[in-house]
Amino acid sequence: MKQKVIFVDDEVNVLKALKRDMALADIDAEYFISAEDALVHLRQHQVGIVVSDFNMPGMDGVMFLKEVQISYPDMYRVILSSSGMENSKLREALENRTVEQCFDKPWNVNELVAYFERFQSYA
């Protein structure tokens, strides 16, 4: 069964680019402009992989993925970040496994898709 992926980013243009890339790669994905909207969705839908922007207003990506980790510990948690590993909060989140993987913005679509495909099983 294919794992559903959700993307959370406060920048509409980033979500549009991700949507285009994921459609071309045949990745089953949905897109949210806020962590709060994504959390509502997670309560009602089965998701396998959650990808979040790091810098967002209100609830940042690490705070969001901590909530996901607590409520849905089996979901894979990924950060997209333009600040990279220079950020101590992001490094700590990787060390304590709140975040399982970090990809830089701009992302390499082939690397991102290869990561998702590691979790896909097709019947």
Side-chain angles (χ1 to χ4, degrees), residues 26-46:
D26 196 30
I27 300 292
D28 187 12
E30 294 191 47
Y31 307 86
F32 299 89
I33 196 100
S34 76
E36 293 81 7
D37 290 346
L39 287 170
V40 169
H41 180 82
L42 290 174
R43 288 187 203 108
Q44 301 168 4
H45 299 90
Q46 191 161 11

Side-chain angles (χ1 to χ4, degrees), residues 1-122:
M1 182 168 153
K2 290 176 86 170
Q3 296 281 341
K4 171 78 86 177
V5 179
I6 67 167
F7 290 93
V8 183
D9 199 301
D10 61 313
E11 295 182 43
V12 174
N13 288 337
V14 169
L15 291 177
K16 286 180 181 178
L18 285 164
K19 188 173 187 176
R20 179 197 64 231
D21 289 347
M22 296 306 108
L24 291 171
D26 196 30
I27 300 292
D28 187 12
E30 294 191 47
Y31 307 86
F32 299 89
I33 196 100
S34 76
E36 293 81 7
D37 290 346
L39 287 170
V40 169
H41 180 82
L42 290 174
R43 288 187 203 108
Q44 301 168 4
H45 299 90
Q46 191 161 11
V47 173
I49 304 168
V50 179
V51 181
S52 178
D53 182 22
F54 178 67
N55 292 311
M56 296 188 293
M59 183 182 295
D60 72 25
V62 171
M63 290 171 45
F64 167 62
L65 292 178
K66 182 66 174 172
E67 290 288 323
V68 171
Q69 181 184 32
I70 291 166
S71 299
Y72 313 98
D74 294 334
M75 284 184 200
Y76 295 96
R77 299 169 304 278
V78 178
I79 284 277
L80 281 178
S81 175
S82 56
S83 60
M85 293 306 297
E86 303 96 46
N87 187 290
S88 61
K89 187 173 184 179
L90 183 53
R91 278 195 315 270
E92 182 181 323
L94 282 161
E95 289 169 6
N96 69 26
R97 305 286 292 157
T98 298
V99 174
E100 296 171 309
Q101 183 69 40
C102 180
F103 289 96
D104 291 329
K105 282 183 179 178
W107 58 91
N108 176 311
V109 69
N110 294 327
E111 288 177 7
L112 201 55
V113 168
Y115 179 79
F116 297 151
E117 287 177 344
R118 289 178 32 205
F119 303 102
Q120 307 299 339
S121 62
Y122 299 90

